[in-house]
Amino acid sequence: MENYTQFLFFLFMLLSVGFVAIVFVLRWVLFFKEGLAWDGGLAEFNWHPLLIVTGFIFIQGIAIVVFRLPWTWKCSKLMMKFIHAGLNTLAFIIAVISMVAVFDFHNKQSIPNMYSLHSWVGLAAVILYTLQLFLGLCIYLLPITSAYLRAVFMPIHVYSGLFIFATVIASALMGITEKLIFGLKKPEYKHSPPEATFVNVLGVLIMLFGALTLWIATRPSWKRPTDQAPGSRQSNGGGSNGAKQELSLAGCGATDVHNPESSMEARKRNWKLDEAGQRSTM
């Protein structure tokens, strides 16, 4: 791997920022808010930001960069696919539980659902993530899928994964801002009470975690080396004969070009044809 020390630095920053963000959201719901419970009240709603940050952001981010960890390159590609799929499945389950918590809270408190931009973007992210997970499992883990289909779908799979992750980050930032605007009354959000400042820092941490994840996931020099296919090994094994044949063919081409006798004969033939052509015109 190129720039291995730089990779370790960014990975350390990614994990540190992620853990600190989880601590911040725990501090927010346990100290500034009503704690955690499953009773249809505000304490049930508090599961939503905690599970989103823990599962849909942190675990999904780790699932994105897991292929970039150089000490996993000795593992088989199939094993890494299972780890990648397992982390994404865990993030999906946690995200679904967080959605159940917020919908259950809204219904019991007679609060309308799906009226804000945050709810629209968040639900769209969950739906796209579900489709992404389903197609990924079917295409890359089922043995009946052709290698051609996997290769064609790979750029779409990578792009959509990064797009969904960025959408989750954006939705989370909108959500915590919406919660502060609606939840802070005395003093209000605009007066920057301690809770507002604390949660604003949480938003910066979430944004930084997303930026670090996308940076690590998009560096070409940190990409997992492509596994060598069996066909390529066989072709390499017989490479000496192929090389000899290519050299012999190249030598034949070079002989035609650089052989003085053949070039002289070509001149003579051209001269004769020119002379015959002049006579015919006369």
Side-chain angles (χ1 to χ4, degrees), residues 98-111:
S98 73
M99 297 291 289
V100 172
V102 70
F103 275 105
D104 187 58
F105 166 74
H106 280 188
N107 293 334
K108 291 184 177 180
Q109 300 295 325
S110 299
I111 299 175

Side-chain angles (χ1 to χ4, degrees), residues 17 57 169 173 201-213:
V17 171
I57 294 178
I169 296 292
L173 296 179
V201 175
L202 171 62
V204 173
L205 291 172
I206 292 173
M207 182 184 64
L208 183 57
F209 179 83
L212 290 169
T213 302

Side-chain angles (χ1 to χ4, degrees), residues 28-161:
W28 181 29
V29 300
L30 295 178
F31 179 77
F32 290 101
K33 294 301 181 183
E34 300 79 13
L36 297 169
W38 202 275
D39 55 2
L42 289 171
E44 180 176 347
F45 175 86
N46 291 337
W47 282 106
H48 181 67
L50 175 62
L51 294 179
I52 288 295
V53 173
T54 304
F56 217 20
I57 294 178
F58 181 75
I59 296 180
Q60 185 185 177
I62 299 302
I64 290 175
V65 303
V66 69
F67 282 109
R68 299 289 172 124
L69 305 179
W71 47 86
T72 65
W73 292 353
K74 296 181 181 180
C75 302
S76 67
K77 190 68 174 291
L78 182 61
M79 178 182 293
M80 294 309 301
K81 287 180 181 179
F82 276 112
I83 295 175
H84 177 70
L87 289 172
N88 278 299
T89 302
L90 178 61
F92 170 74
I93 294 173
I94 295 175
V96 169
I97 297 174
S98 73
M99 297 291 289
V100 172
V102 70
F103 275 105
D104 187 58
F105 166 74
H106 280 188
N107 293 334
K108 291 184 177 180
Q109 300 295 325
S110 299
I111 299 175
N113 292 309
M114 303 303 300
Y115 65 89
S116 66
L117 180 61
H118 162 66
S119 61
W120 288 15
V121 175
L123 184 61
V126 173
I127 294 174
L128 291 175
Y129 193 76
T130 304
L131 182 62
Q132 169 87 344
L133 183 61
F134 175 76
L135 291 177
L137 292 174
C138 292
I139 294 176
Y140 294 107
L141 289 181
L142 291 182
I144 60 175
T145 308
S146 65
Y148 173 78
L149 180 60
R150 295 179 181 181
V152 170
F153 187 70
M154 178 55 71
I156 302 174
H157 182 73
V158 173
Y159 172 79
S160 59

Side-chain angles (χ1 to χ4, degrees), residues 173-208:
L173 296 179
M174 288 187 287
I176 61 176
T177 302
E178 180 182 297
K179 181 63 176 176
L180 290 176
I181 293 174
F182 291 161
L184 294 178
K185 299 300 182 181
K186 295 181 180 179
E188 296 180 351
Y189 184 33
K190 63 182 180 181
H191 298 299
S192 298
E195 180 180 353
T197 304
F198 184 85
V199 179
N200 284 345
V201 175
L202 171 62
V204 173
L205 291 172
I206 292 173
M207 182 184 64
L208 183 57

